[in-house]
Amino acid sequence: MKTKYVKTATGMYINYFLLGMVNIILASNMSSLTKQWNTDPTGISYVIAAIGFGKLLTYGISGVLSDKIGRKPLIVASAGLMAVFLIGIPLSPSYELAFVFALLAGVANSAMDAGTYPALTELFPTAPSSANVLVKAFMSLGAALLPLLITVLADHSLFYGYAFYLPAAVYVLNILCLSAVSLPKKQKQPISTGQQGSPAFLSEPDMKKEGAALIIIGFTSTALFTVSQIWLPSFAQKAAGLAESASVQLLSYYSIGALVSVLLLALLLNRWVKPVMITLLYPIITLCTLAVMLTVHVPVVLDITAFFLGFSTAGVFQITITLMTELFWNRKGTVTGIVATASSIASILLPIATGLIAKAGGIAHIFMFDFGIAVIGTASAAFLYYRYNKLTARSKLS
């Protein structure tokens, strides 16, 4: 791989390292923001939801633009918009203006995804899955670092806004770096010859079959980790009687499992394990883990299941996008936008749906619902595995 492309990839990973911070920065500064905007935690949650709406509204157009004008303009523009969001939030005098900045962050996120995921598959044609899965690893690292930064600021009685300004400054510096590097030109090979390391398909992939399966997996993969991140502590308190502090620790085990998973995937994918196999194996692990969670309410067992939930839900979305761009290589940006839209819908609908379930039937019913989602994801993955093998003439598990 040429050095200039390694620099390009590094810049894109830095964008996602910072995005890991952005994803939790509003919730992590909730007390300061509620005072600033004269609102309550529910109001902050609506601002957070606005990021999701911004993504949902623009994923489609971002994907098309990625194919029309190229990956680099979207990647650079997304970093700039994120910097505007991070600078704007601490300076926002009103709740309404903050809502606008949050929508802008959602637009930036969609542009970043639509530009970066296809670009990584083109930068690393022999290991696109590993390259895309590393995105999740960098996001996890960013999310782990932000609370430490906030703690340092609080300990020294410094303005909370510095936690926003520092990543904004890094985004600006990264724009300068990304502007100076180049991406490989988009190749236009016929599908019969194979595309950038992809297998030569025996027939053209069908969007109504394997494409639809991948869209469903994009939805279910996001739904599964969204439910776990929101409701794991509450489930532990209700089912096993854990104290609040102990139940929150489950999220730490969840995060550790996710980080271990993406690092393993980065090493194993395409060398010993095929991406399509992970889309089937991981939902099966999630199904088994949820079954144990719902039947065994011992604290140590919940710790273990939290780890495996994190392990089995991490990286699936990135692999789904990789497979989608492999199968429909001549529309990488467009199909990335489609899968990301399904993911964004899940991130908006699941908090609402599970909140209603919690009011109507209790926390346990939420994870029964989650089990059903895992069943749908597993069935879609099994169909995808069958279709993929048929397209590539694979007859054995890979």
Side-chain angles (χ1 to χ4, degrees):
M1 181 60 63
K2 296 181 180 180
T3 303
K4 62 179 180 179
Y5 292 162
V6 172
K7 290 180 180 178
T8 304
T10 301
M12 290 189 283
Y13 287 134
I14 290 173
N15 274 352
Y16 278 94
F17 172 81
L18 298 171
L19 181 61
M21 296 183 175
V22 170
N23 284 341
I24 64 170
I25 201 166
L26 294 178
S28 299
N29 290 279
M30 188 173 289
S31 60
S32 298
L33 294 174
T34 53
K35 293 177 183 178
Q36 179 173 326
W37 300 328
N38 192 29
T39 185
D40 56 18
T42 300
I44 302 300
S45 71
Y46 291 154
V47 177
I48 295 172
I51 297 176
F53 280 111
K55 290 191 290 184
L56 178 62
L57 292 173
T58 56
Y59 263 132
I61 185 64
S62 294
V64 173
L65 286 174
S66 178
D67 287 333
K68 293 290 185 181
I69 67 175
R71 324 301 184 199
K72 184 176 176 178
L74 269 71
I75 295 169
V76 173
S78 68
L81 291 175
M82 280 297 184
V84 172
F85 162 77
L86 289 165
I87 294 170
I89 287 294
L91 298 178
S92 294
S94 67
Y95 179 85
E96 292 75 16
L97 183 57
F99 199 89
V100 173
F101 280 122
L103 286 171
L104 194 65
V107 174
N109 197 339
S110 71
M112 192 178 295
D113 287 348
T116 303
Y117 285 117
L120 285 172
T121 65
E122 293 160 355
L123 285 168
F124 302 98
T126 59
S129 299
S130 296
N132 281 336
V133 163
L134 281 176
V135 166
K136 181 67 174 179
F138 278 91
M139 289 176 66
S140 298
L141 289 173
L145 183 61
L146 181 68
L148 299 178
L149 174 59
I150 292 173
T151 299
V152 170
L153 293 175
D155 289 344
H156 292 81
S157 300
L158 296 173
F159 177 47
Y160 83 91
Y162 290 129
F164 289 76
Y165 297 152
L166 182 58
V170 179
Y171 264 127
V172 172
L173 291 174
N174 204 36
I175 289 172
L176 299 177
C177 295
L178 287 169
S179 298
V181 297
S182 60
L183 277 74
K185 293 182 179 180
K186 182 180 176 182
Q187 297 184 24
K188 297 183 178 181
Q189 295 173 255
I191 197 165
S192 60
T193 65
Q195 167 68 7
Q196 299 186 9
S198 302
F201 300 119
L202 299 180
S203 60
E204 186 171 355
D206 189 344
M207 181 60 74
K208 294 181 180 179
K209 295 179 180 178
E210 47 271 21
L214 283 164
I215 292 169
I216 293 171
I217 295 169
F219 178 92
T220 58
S221 63
T222 300
L224 290 170
F225 73 70
T226 298
V227 172
S228 297
Q229 287 181 327
I230 295 174
W231 296 105
L232 259 179
S234 298
F235 178 81
Q237 292 173 41
K238 296 290 184 180
L242 291 183
E244 182 178 356
S245 58
S247 66
V248 172
Q249 285 297 316
L250 291 179
L251 294 178
S252 297
Y253 297 126
Y254 180 94
S255 298
I256 292 170
L259 187 57
V260 169
S261 175
V262 294
L263 292 177
L264 280 176
L265 288 175
L267 292 172
L268 298 178
L269 284 173
N270 293 311
R271 293 185 179 93
W272 296 284
V273 180
K274 295 298 179 183
V276 70
M277 185 61 197
I278 297 299
T279 63
L280 177 58
L281 177 62
Y282 271 30
I284 292 174
I285 295 175
T286 302
L287 273 176
C288 296
T289 303
L290 288 171
V292 173
M293 266 187 63
L294 289 167
T295 54
V296 183
H297 301 156
V298 179
V300 66
V301 174
L302 290 177
D303 292 342
I304 295 171
T305 54
F307 174 89
F308 278 102
L309 275 181
F311 183 93
S312 62
T313 56
V316 177
F317 173 70
Q318 285 76 20
I319 291 174
T320 301
I321 287 181
T322 301
L323 288 170
M324 194 70 153
T325 56
E326 176 189 340
L327 292 169
F328 304 98
W329 58 268
N330 56 336
R331 292 180 292 157
K332 286 189 178 76
T334 302
V335 295
T336 295
I338 292 172
V339 175
T341 298
S343 171
S344 186
I345 291 172
S347 68
I348 294 171
L349 289 184
L350 266 295
I352 297 173
T354 53
L356 294 174
I357 293 172
K359 287 183 179 180
I363 306 299
H365 289 78
I366 291 174
F367 282 92
M368 293 178 187
F369 176 66
D370 202 33
F371 186 90
I373 293 173
V375 170
I376 295 172
T378 303
S380 299
F383 176 76
L384 172 68
Y385 187 81
Y386 164 76
R387 287 289 306 171
Y388 187 92
N389 287 347
K390 189 174 180 179
L391 288 171
T392 58
R394 299 178 187 273
S395 59
K396 297 180 180 180
L397 294 179
S398 300

